[in-house]
Amino acid sequence: MAIINLSLKREDKNNLISLEEKNVRFITAKSLTRTAQNIQREVQGHIRKDFVLRKRSFERSIRILPATKQRLESKVYTMAPFASLQQTGGIKKASSGRLAIPLYKDISRLKSRTATNRPRGLKDSFILKLESGSLAIAVRKSKQIKVMYYLKQRAYVKKRLNMLEIGEQVAVKNFSLHFQKSLREIN
């Protein structure tokens, strides 16, 4: 959980004292929601920039839960099952069988994920036992054998998603601006 401390300037404090509690809660909820929307846009931009997206569903999975006057808390979240491992990094284990780990220099050139470029959809593919004893999926191309995927029980996933860090930076930078703007709109 990330905790972000925000403070108000003296003139904003004086303006707040003159407002009713209902208005203060509305201004705060509005500012929190706008800040969450900024975080959502920044995280989606980060995903577009740093990930090879074969489906846009990951980018669209970044959602917000807006703040209300009763619940002064807004949330930015994703329901993508793999996002937590992308956020922290760590070991991914195969639930059954083995993981097909692509050669990243080749996989980054793919623009879309189709049945033909998945491990099961490769034409003329076969399982190859390497000298090290590990397994790989390979294809034969004009008298050459090309390894496409390594088969492993577990693989290390590097930290690539910076959702928490981006959220903290945007919140610190934008919340007070949104709060002051909302305060001016009420007065």
mmCIF file with all atom_site columns, all heavy atoms in Angstrom, residues 14 23 32 36 65 74 80 101 120 140 179-180:
data_model
loop_
_atom_site.group_PDB
_atom_site.id
_atom_site.type_symbol
_atom_site.label_atom_id
_atom_site.label_alt_id
_atom_site.label_comp_id
_atom_site.label_asym_id
_atom_site.label_entity_id
_atom_site.label_seq_id
_atom_site.pdbx_PDB_ins_code
_atom_site.Cartn_x
_atom_site.Cartn_y
_atom_site.Cartn_z
_atom_site.occupancy
_atom_site.B_iso_or_equiv
_atom_site.pdbx_formal_charge
_atom_site.auth_seq_id
_atom_site.auth_comp_id
_atom_site.auth_asym_id
_atom_site.auth_atom_id
_atom_site.pdbx_PDB_model_num
ATOM 1  N N   . ASN A 1 14  ? -7.658  28.823  4.957   1.00 0.00 ? 14  ASN A N   1
ATOM 2  C CA  . ASN A 1 14  ? -8.608  29.865  5.324   1.00 0.00 ? 14  ASN A CA  1
ATOM 3  C C   . ASN A 1 14  ? -9.899  29.749  4.516   1.00 0.00 ? 14  ASN A C   1
ATOM 4  O O   . ASN A 1 14  ? -10.997 29.944  5.044   1.00 0.00 ? 14  ASN A O   1
ATOM 5  C CB  . ASN A 1 14  ? -7.989  31.250  5.121   1.00 0.00 ? 14  ASN A CB  1
ATOM 6  C CG  . ASN A 1 14  ? -6.854  31.506  6.100   1.00 0.00 ? 14  ASN A CG  1
ATOM 7  O OD1 . ASN A 1 14  ? -6.791  30.887  7.160   1.00 0.00 ? 14  ASN A OD1 1
ATOM 8  N ND2 . ASN A 1 14  ? -5.946  32.396  5.727   1.00 0.00 ? 14  ASN A ND2 1
ATOM 9  N N   . ASN A 1 23  ? -19.485 21.008  1.278   1.00 0.00 ? 23  ASN A N   1
ATOM 10 C CA  . ASN A 1 23  ? -18.694 21.499  0.151   1.00 0.00 ? 23  ASN A CA  1
ATOM 11 C C   . ASN A 1 23  ? -17.252 20.997  0.218   1.00 0.00 ? 23  ASN A C   1
ATOM 12 O O   . ASN A 1 23  ? -16.661 20.680  -0.810  1.00 0.00 ? 23  ASN A O   1
ATOM 13 C CB  . ASN A 1 23  ? -18.710 23.025  0.105   1.00 0.00 ? 23  ASN A CB  1
ATOM 14 C CG  . ASN A 1 23  ? -20.049 23.557  -0.341  1.00 0.00 ? 23  ASN A CG  1
ATOM 15 O OD1 . ASN A 1 23  ? -20.814 22.849  -1.001  1.00 0.00 ? 23  ASN A OD1 1
ATOM 16 N ND2 . ASN A 1 23  ? -20.353 24.786  0.026   1.00 0.00 ? 23  ASN A ND2 1
ATOM 17 N N   . LEU A 1 32  ? -9.808  14.114  -5.661  1.00 0.00 ? 32  LEU A N   1
ATOM 18 C CA  . LEU A 1 32  ? -9.289  12.745  -5.635  1.00 0.00 ? 32  LEU A CA  1
ATOM 19 C C   . LEU A 1 32  ? -9.634  11.995  -6.923  1.00 0.00 ? 32  LEU A C   1
ATOM 20 O O   . LEU A 1 32  ? -8.791  11.264  -7.474  1.00 0.00 ? 32  LEU A O   1
ATOM 21 C CB  . LEU A 1 32  ? -9.845  11.988  -4.425  1.00 0.00 ? 32  LEU A CB  1
ATOM 22 C CG  . LEU A 1 32  ? -9.284  12.379  -3.068  1.00 0.00 ? 32  LEU A CG  1
ATOM 23 C CD1 . LEU A 1 32  ? -10.119 11.763  -1.953  1.00 0.00 ? 32  LEU A CD1 1
ATOM 24 C CD2 . LEU A 1 32  ? -7.835  11.950  -2.953  1.00 0.00 ? 32  LEU A CD2 1
ATOM 25 N N   . ALA A 1 36  ? -7.039  10.550  -9.708  1.00 0.00 ? 36  ALA A N   1
ATOM 26 C CA  . ALA A 1 36  ? -7.064  9.137   -10.117 1.00 0.00 ? 36  ALA A CA  1
ATOM 27 C C   . ALA A 1 36  ? -7.155  9.015   -11.640 1.00 0.00 ? 36  ALA A C   1
ATOM 28 O O   . ALA A 1 36  ? -6.520  8.133   -12.230 1.00 0.00 ? 36  ALA A O   1
ATOM 29 C CB  . ALA A 1 36  ? -8.238  8.420   -9.454  1.00 0.00 ? 36  ALA A CB  1
ATOM 30 N N   . LEU A 1 65  ? -11.898 3.761   -9.373  1.00 0.00 ? 65  LEU A N   1
ATOM 31 C CA  . LEU A 1 65  ? -13.105 3.789   -8.552  1.00 0.00 ? 65  LEU A CA  1
ATOM 32 C C   . LEU A 1 65  ? -13.159 5.207   -7.999  1.00 0.00 ? 65  LEU A C   1
ATOM 33 O O   . LEU A 1 65  ? -12.313 5.595   -7.193  1.00 0.00 ? 65  LEU A O   1
ATOM 34 C CB  . LEU A 1 65  ? -13.022 2.761   -7.426  1.00 0.00 ? 65  LEU A CB  1
ATOM 35 C CG  . LEU A 1 65  ? -14.245 2.659   -6.532  1.00 0.00 ? 65  LEU A CG  1
ATOM 36 C CD1 . LEU A 1 65  ? -15.434 2.138   -7.340  1.00 0.00 ? 65  LEU A CD1 1
ATOM 37 C CD2 . LEU A 1 65  ? -13.963 1.714   -5.385  1.00 0.00 ? 65  LEU A CD2 1
ATOM 38 N N   . SER A 1 74  ? -10.274 7.401   -3.644  1.00 0.00 ? 74  SER A N   1
ATOM 39 C CA  . SER A 1 74  ? -10.406 6.913   -5.012  1.00 0.00 ? 74  SER A CA  1
ATOM 40 C C   . SER A 1 74  ? -9.317  5.875   -5.235  1.00 0.00 ? 74  SER A C   1
ATOM 41 O O   . SER A 1 74  ? -8.255  5.936   -4.621  1.00 0.00 ? 74  SER A O   1
ATOM 42 C CB  . SER A 1 74  ? -10.304 8.053   -6.027  1.00 0.00 ? 74  SER A CB  1
ATOM 43 O OG  . SER A 1 74  ? -9.054  8.669   -5.948  1.00 0.00 ? 74  SER A OG  1
ATOM 44 N N   . ALA A 1 80  ? -6.119  -7.402  -14.271 1.00 0.00 ? 80  ALA A N   1
ATOM 45 C CA  . ALA A 1 80  ? -5.295  -8.286  -15.094 1.00 0.00 ? 80  ALA A CA  1
ATOM 46 C C   . ALA A 1 80  ? -4.534  -9.237  -14.163 1.00 0.00 ? 80  ALA A C   1
ATOM 47 O O   . ALA A 1 80  ? -3.819  -8.785  -13.270 1.00 0.00 ? 80  ALA A O   1
ATOM 48 C CB  . ALA A 1 80  ? -4.317  -7.473  -15.933 1.00 0.00 ? 80  ALA A CB  1
ATOM 49 N N   . ILE A 1 101 ? 8.768   -20.201 -22.815 1.00 0.00 ? 101 ILE A N   1
ATOM 50 C CA  . ILE A 1 101 ? 9.435   -18.907 -22.696 1.00 0.00 ? 101 ILE A CA  1
ATOM 51 C C   . ILE A 1 101 ? 9.978   -18.522 -24.071 1.00 0.00 ? 101 ILE A C   1
ATOM 52 O O   . ILE A 1 101 ? 10.859  -19.192 -24.603 1.00 0.00 ? 101 ILE A O   1
ATOM 53 C CB  . ILE A 1 101 ? 10.597  -18.973 -21.675 1.00 0.00 ? 101 ILE A CB  1
ATOM 54 C CG1 . ILE A 1 101 ? 10.148  -19.617 -20.370 1.00 0.00 ? 101 ILE A CG1 1
ATOM 55 C CG2 . ILE A 1 101 ? 11.213  -17.594 -21.477 1.00 0.00 ? 101 ILE A CG2 1
ATOM 56 C CD1 . ILE A 1 101 ? 9.056   -18.884 -19.660 1.00 0.00 ? 101 ILE A CD1 1
ATOM 57 N N   . ARG A 1 120 ? 1.700   -23.768 -29.557 1.00 0.00 ? 120 ARG A N   1
ATOM 58 C CA  . ARG A 1 120 ? 0.946   -24.904 -30.113 1.00 0.00 ? 120 ARG A CA  1
ATOM 59 C C   . ARG A 1 120 ? 0.633   -24.740 -31.593 1.00 0.00 ? 120 ARG A C   1
ATOM 60 O O   . ARG A 1 120 ? 0.356   -25.708 -32.279 1.00 0.00 ? 120 ARG A O   1
ATOM 61 C CB  . ARG A 1 120 ? -0.371  -25.082 -29.364 1.00 0.00 ? 120 ARG A CB  1
ATOM 62 C CG  . ARG A 1 120 ? -0.169  -25.594 -27.981 1.00 0.00 ? 120 ARG A CG  1
ATOM 63 C CD  . ARG A 1 120 ? -1.499  -25.871 -27.346 1.00 0.00 ? 120 ARG A CD  1
ATOM 64 N NE  . ARG A 1 120 ? -1.292  -26.347 -25.980 1.00 0.00 ? 120 ARG A NE  1
ATOM 65 C CZ  . ARG A 1 120 ? -2.231  -26.555 -25.130 1.00 0.00 ? 120 ARG A CZ  1
ATOM 66 N NH1 . ARG A 1 120 ? -3.477  -26.323 -25.460 1.00 0.00 ? 120 ARG A NH1 1
ATOM 67 N NH2 . ARG A 1 120 ? -1.961  -26.983 -23.930 1.00 0.00 ? 120 ARG A NH2 1
ATOM 68 N N   . ARG A 1 140 ? 11.979  -26.311 -38.081 1.00 0.00 ? 140 ARG A N   1
ATOM 69 C CA  . ARG A 1 140 ? 13.012  -26.553 -39.098 1.00 0.00 ? 140 ARG A CA  1
ATOM 70 C C   . ARG A 1 140 ? 12.737  -25.602 -40.254 1.00 0.00 ? 140 ARG A C   1
ATOM 71 O O   . ARG A 1 140 ? 11.664  -25.619 -40.841 1.00 0.00 ? 140 ARG A O   1
ATOM 72 C CB  . ARG A 1 140 ? 12.956  -27.999 -39.556 1.00 0.00 ? 140 ARG A CB  1
ATOM 73 C CG  . ARG A 1 140 ? 14.144  -28.424 -40.385 1.00 0.00 ? 140 ARG A CG  1
ATOM 74 C CD  . ARG A 1 140 ? 14.057  -29.887 -40.793 1.00 0.00 ? 140 ARG A CD  1
ATOM 75 N NE  . ARG A 1 140 ? 13.729  -30.795 -39.716 1.00 0.00 ? 140 ARG A NE  1
ATOM 76 C CZ  . ARG A 1 140 ? 14.619  -31.333 -38.870 1.00 0.00 ? 140 ARG A CZ  1
ATOM 77 N NH1 . ARG A 1 140 ? 15.882  -31.018 -38.969 1.00 0.00 ? 140 ARG A NH1 1
ATOM 78 N NH2 . ARG A 1 140 ? 14.228  -32.175 -37.935 1.00 0.00 ? 140 ARG A NH2 1
ATOM 79 N N   . PHE A 1 179 ? -7.213  20.284  -6.248  1.00 0.00 ? 179 PHE A N   1
ATOM 80 C CA  . PHE A 1 179 ? -7.913  20.774  -5.067  1.00 0.00 ? 179 PHE A CA  1
ATOM 81 C C   . PHE A 1 179 ? -8.109  22.295  -5.148  1.00 0.00 ? 179 PHE A C   1
ATOM 82 O O   . PHE A 1 179 ? -9.200  22.801  -4.899  1.00 0.00 ? 179 PHE A O   1
ATOM 83 C CB  . PHE A 1 179 ? -7.128  20.399  -3.800  1.00 0.00 ? 179 PHE A CB  1
ATOM 84 C CG  . PHE A 1 179 ? -7.916  20.586  -2.543  1.00 0.00 ? 179 PHE A CG  1
ATOM 85 C CD1 . PHE A 1 179 ? -8.777  19.603  -2.090  1.00 0.00 ? 179 PHE A CD1 1
ATOM 86 C CD2 . PHE A 1 179 ? -7.806  21.756  -1.812  1.00 0.00 ? 179 PHE A CD2 1
ATOM 87 C CE1 . PHE A 1 179 ? -9.524  19.776  -0.944  1.00 0.00 ? 179 PHE A CE1 1
ATOM 88 C CE2 . PHE A 1 179 ? -8.533  21.945  -0.666  1.00 0.00 ? 179 PHE A CE2 1
ATOM 89 C CZ  . PHE A 1 179 ? -9.409  20.943  -0.219  1.00 0.00 ? 179 PHE A CZ  1
ATOM 90 N N   . GLN A 1 180 ? -7.054  23.017  -5.521  1.00 0.00 ? 180 GLN A N   1
ATOM 91 C CA  . GLN A 1 180 ? -7.164  24.474  -5.631  1.00 0.00 ? 180 GLN A CA  1
ATOM 92 C C   . GLN A 1 180 ? -8.133  24.870  -6.731  1.00 0.00 ? 180 GLN A C   1
ATOM 93 O O   . GLN A 1 180 ? -8.931  25.806  -6.560  1.00 0.00 ? 180 GLN A O   1
ATOM 94 C CB  . GLN A 1 180 ? -5.780  25.071  -5.910  1.00 0.00 ? 180 GLN A CB  1
ATOM 95 C CG  . GLN A 1 180 ? -4.836  24.983  -4.744  1.00 0.00 ? 180 GLN A CG  1
ATOM 96 C CD  . GLN A 1 180 ? -3.429  25.406  -5.112  1.00 0.00 ? 180 GLN A CD  1
ATOM 97 O OE1 . GLN A 1 180 ? -3.182  25.909  -6.201  1.00 0.00 ? 180 GLN A OE1 1
ATOM 98 N NE2 . GLN A 1 180 ? -2.508  25.211  -4.193  1.00 0.00 ? 180 GLN A NE2 1
#
